[in-house]
Amino acid sequence: MRKDNLIPILYNVLAAIGGVVALFLLALIFIGGRSLGSPYFMLLMAVLLCAGISAVLVRKFFAPAVKYPLGKGVKFEDSTLVKLAKWLPLGLCITALFLSVLALSRPRKEGKSVLPPAKGVDIMLTIDTSGSMAALDFKPDRMTAAKSTASDFVDKRATDRIGVVVFAGSAMLQCPLTLDYFAVKEYIDLINIDMLSDQLGTAIGDAIAVSAKHLKDSIAKSKTIILLTDGENNTGMVDPIAAAKAAAAYGIKIYTISIASGEPADMKVNTQSIFGPVSATTQLPPPSPESEATLMQIAKETGGDFFRAKNNAELQNIYTRINELEKTEFDSSLQLNYTDNYKPALITAILLLMAAFIADKFIFIKIP
């Protein structure tokens, strides 16, 4: 084989290898970090490669050509413009077909999310809002301490539905059971002493009844009421022990928390004088043994537990303890989410085909 024939052949081989490498790098750009939804379409790459090689060989060696005398020393076919006219549209078409096959293979982004258990724990936070919750034996007061520790408890849960019931002389659902912990904390933040029209007395039995009503039909693995109060049941329509027994019949467990320092507590109140509202301080008596005995009995009837909190730290520890007792144990399961990302490859292919058409028909004028 003559040396002058070998060099063009080597040049063409290197050009072909370079083209394949370029297409491979292009595939990495569009597929990098993604999976393929229909990988079998990638088999068309082999067909496309064979078709591309065939097109190059036909154009190189078998396409009819007419040589025009252009004068001594002029090699028209070797000019850059001629090479572009000959190979650029074909290269753009091959690249466009390559990207089309890539789009058919459906590159897609993969996302993972942890699935919560099908049956976790449903928890109803039942919080006393009677006037005595304004007592100052907790920092800054009982109500603020109760709200703060309840919000912290919500932060420690991950896969359980939580709701809120408030009570004083009557009981009311403040937040239904939900996995939206941000909403739960918003509802807890809105709790205040004056939110119920009936503020006289403490209806513990009614609070248990309302909480149980919204838990009884749950299919959760565990149904729990965390009842926090600083008083004894002295009003309402339902006896607290009877309400506890009814809750136990539905498989509901009640943890009761008595929040009081055990000593007489100061409480700021607003009084009316001839000069208008006046802020004054009154003193609350310590919780009676009867009230704590009732809370103990409620917890015992339902298989729960009774806790006494005398300060902020003890209250925080109680919620931490309940959080550990009501842990949801489950095997981690992952759900794969896919987002198709074929559009960039498809749009690029269309643009390249348009460019090839424009180059072939309008930019490079061929002499027949």
Side-chain angles (χ1 to χ4, degrees):
M1 181 180 292
R2 292 174 55 185
K3 184 177 180 179
D4 56 346
N5 290 332
L6 182 61
I7 292 176
I9 293 175
L10 290 175
Y11 174 81
N12 290 324
V13 170
L14 291 175
I17 294 173
V20 172
V21 171
L23 291 177
F24 177 75
L25 294 175
L26 190 63
L28 287 181
I29 293 174
F30 282 95
I31 300 180
R34 302 174 180 88
S35 61
L36 296 178
S38 304
Y40 296 112
F41 278 104
M42 292 298 287
L43 295 175
L44 293 175
M45 291 294 184
V47 178
L48 179 61
L49 181 62
C50 293
I53 293 174
S54 300
V56 170
L57 292 176
V58 168
R59 180 163 291 196
K60 181 70 178 178
F61 299 107
F62 301 103
V66 178
K67 292 186 178 181
Y68 295 89
L70 298 174
K72 186 176 181 181
V74 177
K75 296 183 178 181
F76 182 75
E77 65 274 10
D78 293 333
S79 70
T80 302
L81 189 61
V82 171
K83 290 180 178 178
L84 282 175
K86 188 173 184 179
W87 300 112
L88 182 61
L90 178 62
L92 291 175
C93 288
I94 292 175
T95 306
L97 290 174
F98 175 83
L99 291 175
S100 299
V101 172
L102 208 59
L104 285 173
S105 300
R106 289 175 54 211
R108 57 188 184 177
K109 293 181 180 178
E110 183 178 284
K112 296 179 181 179
S113 58
V114 179
L115 290 176
K119 296 182 181 180
V121 178
D122 279 355
I123 301 171
M124 192 65 73
L125 301 175
T126 307
I127 300 174
D128 189 348
T129 64
S130 58
S132 58
M133 287 293 288
L136 306 178
D137 50 347
F138 282 68
K139 301 299 181 184
D141 54 63
R142 292 178 183 176
M143 176 57 72
T144 304
K147 290 164 58 175
S148 176
T149 49
S151 291
D152 291 343
F153 175 82
V154 173
D155 287 334
K156 295 176 183 177
R157 311 306 292 187
T159 58
D160 306 313
R161 295 195 305 169
I162 298 177
V164 181
V165 166
V166 294
F167 69 99
S170 58
M172 177 187 76
L173 178 69
Q174 170 76 347
C175 174
L177 291 167
T178 178
L179 286 168
D180 186 350
Y181 296 157
F182 178 81
V184 175
K185 293 178 66 175
E186 286 286 308
Y187 278 111
I188 291 174
D189 189 56
L190 292 173
I191 295 175
N192 61 78
I193 298 295
D194 301 321
M195 67 184 307
L196 292 175
S197 58
D198 188 358
Q199 286 298 122
L200 299 176
T202 305
I204 294 176
D206 289 10
I208 295 173
V210 171
S211 300
K213 176 183 177 182
H214 295 279
L215 283 171
K216 65 183 181 68
D217 295 326
S218 167
I219 60 171
K221 176 180 68 70
S222 177
K223 294 174 280 189
T224 302
I225 296 172
I226 302 176
L227 187 145
L228 181 146
T229 182
D230 66 349
E232 60 181 306
N233 185 77
N234 52 22
T235 188
M237 303 291 293
V238 183
D239 177 74
I241 304 302
K245 291 180 179 179
Y250 288 110
I252 299 172
K253 187 187 301 182
I254 303 177
Y255 294 99
T256 55
I257 303 173
S258 174
I259 175 173
S261 64
E263 302 292 337
D266 291 335
M267 181 178 69
K268 288 183 179 180
V269 295
N270 291 324
T271 60
Q272 194 73 22
S273 72
I274 59 174
F275 301 104
V278 177
S279 180
T281 300
T282 187
Q283 204 171 58
L284 292 174
S288 67
E290 291 80 9
S291 64
E292 292 195 349
T294 300
L295 296 178
M296 291 179 186
Q297 184 66 23
I298 291 170
K300 182 180 178 181
E301 290 288 346
T302 61
D305 208 345
F306 165 78
F307 301 92
R308 183 186 298 108
K310 295 182 179 181
N311 53 55
N312 294 61
E314 288 185 2
L315 183 59
Q316 184 68 56
N317 291 335
I318 288 169
Y319 273 100
T320 300
R321 176 61 178 154
I322 296 174
N323 181 57
E324 293 172 352
L325 290 172
E326 292 298 325
K327 282 291 186 184
T328 301
E329 297 181 1
F330 62 98
D331 295 331
S332 296
S333 57
L334 293 178
Q335 182 181 39
L336 298 179
N337 304 309
Y338 296 101
T339 303
D340 284 335
N341 200 35
Y342 65 87
K343 289 183 179 179
L346 184 60
I347 292 173
T348 304
I350 293 173
L351 292 176
L352 290 178
L353 285 174
M354 292 174 61
F357 178 80
I358 293 171
D360 190 56
K361 301 297 182 183
F362 299 102
I363 296 179
F364 302 114
I365 301 175
K366 297 180 181 179
I367 301 174

